[in-house]
């Protein structure tokens, strides 16, 4: 509970924490509108992607099909290089008794041709594999690309993406593939 002093003597106004938080967020939002016009070009642009994914992945030695999700955040931090972005990507793949999670990051090059925005990327990260209680965390190299097709909704696109993933674990190379599709929101 928050008590604010009143303008007349002896009175106090009661404001709940939720109401105070809503008022604070609203005030910051209203004050940030003029500031965003002043900082246009200084703050990074980017996009957020969420979709479904299908993968041919190796469970230590056995190659199997997996279904799951894929999500990515891309920032375009340099106004001088509008085709270069920095990507953080995560994915989860599931099969009975086996779960695999991927966390990678790296550069992405992209350009625009009409409604299409093709891209290529090279990322490095970790694969977390849990197979019936045995956990492996090998280094992962992910090279891939795809294209975003701009939709009729403002700032939304549909992504088609394919990746080659390489890991090395237990004296064996693991060469895996995945395909993803989903919605992209550009800001």
């Amino acid at each position: 509970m928050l008590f604010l002093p009143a303008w007349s003597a002896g009175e106090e106004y009661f404001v709940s924490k939720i109401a105070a938080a809503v008022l604070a967020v609203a005030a910051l939002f209203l004050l940030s509108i003029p500031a965003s016009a002043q900082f246009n070009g200084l703050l990074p642009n980017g996009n957020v992607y969420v979709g479904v994914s299908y993968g041919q992945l190796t469970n230590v030695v056995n190659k199997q099909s997996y279904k799951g999700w894929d999500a990515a955040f891309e920032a375009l931090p340099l106004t001088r290089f509008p085709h270069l972005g920095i990507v953080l990507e995560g994915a989860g793949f599931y099969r009975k008794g086996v779960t695999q999670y991927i966390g990678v990051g790296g550069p992405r090059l992209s350009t625009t041709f009409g409604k299409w925005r093709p891209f290529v990327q090279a990322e490095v990260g970790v694969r977390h594999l849990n197979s019936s209680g045995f956990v492996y965390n090998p280094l992962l190299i992910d090279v891939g690309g795809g294209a975003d097709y701009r939709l009729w909704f403002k700032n939304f696109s549909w992504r088609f993406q394919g990746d080659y993933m390489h890991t090395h674990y237990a004296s064996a190379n693991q060469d895996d593939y995945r395909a993803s599709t989903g919605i992209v929101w550009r800001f």
Side-chain angles (χ1 to χ4, degrees):
M1 287 189 248
L2 178 68
F3 290 98
L4 298 175
W7 286 276
S8 62
E11 294 181 28
E12 291 183 347
Y13 293 178
F14 170 78
V15 179
S16 71
K17 290 181 184 178
I18 294 173
V22 169
L23 288 173
V25 169
L28 286 174
F29 176 75
L30 291 173
L31 293 174
S32 69
I33 291 172
S36 66
Q38 294 175 2
F39 291 111
N40 192 15
L42 295 177
L43 298 176
N45 296 322
N47 63 65
V48 175
Y49 161 73
V50 176
V52 295
S53 192
Y54 172 81
Q56 285 289 330
L57 307 176
T58 306
N59 176 3
V60 183
V61 292
N62 300 322
K63 189 167 287 281
Q64 299 172 332
S65 298
Y66 289 81
K67 295 177 184 174
W69 56 269
D70 189 21
F73 169 77
E74 178 184 12
L76 303 166
L78 305 172
T79 56
R80 300 187 115 219
F81 303 104
H83 302 290
L84 178 64
I86 305 298
V87 180
L88 294 175
E89 189 169 4
F93 295 96
Y94 308 96
R95 188 176 176 87
K96 186 172 178 153
V98 181
T99 57
Q100 294 193 36
Y101 294 102
I102 296 168
V104 292
R108 175 184 287 166
L109 291 173
S110 60
T111 190
T112 302
F113 295 108
K115 289 189 167 206
W116 290 94
R117 186 168 178 88
F119 61 88
V120 293
Q121 61 190 20
E123 302 169 315
V124 176
V126 175
R127 170 187 273 168
H128 176 80
L129 170 66
N130 185 344
S131 178
S132 300
F134 295 101
V135 177
Y136 310 97
N137 293 305
L139 179 69
L140 173 71
I141 298 171
D142 184 330
V143 178
D148 295 347
Y149 181 77
R150 189 173 15 148
L151 299 173
W152 56 93
F153 299 117
K154 185 178 179 181
N155 298 333
F156 285 93
S157 299
W158 194 264
R159 176 169 294 172
F160 304 96
Q161 180 177 336
D163 294 285
Y164 161 77
M165 301 178 296
H166 176 80
T167 57
H168 183 83
Y169 186 79
S171 300
N173 287 326
Q174 299 171 345
D175 299 312
D176 300 327
Y177 306 93
R178 69 178 167 144
S180 303
T181 189
I183 193 86
V184 179
W185 174 61
R186 297 195 175 282
F187 52 89

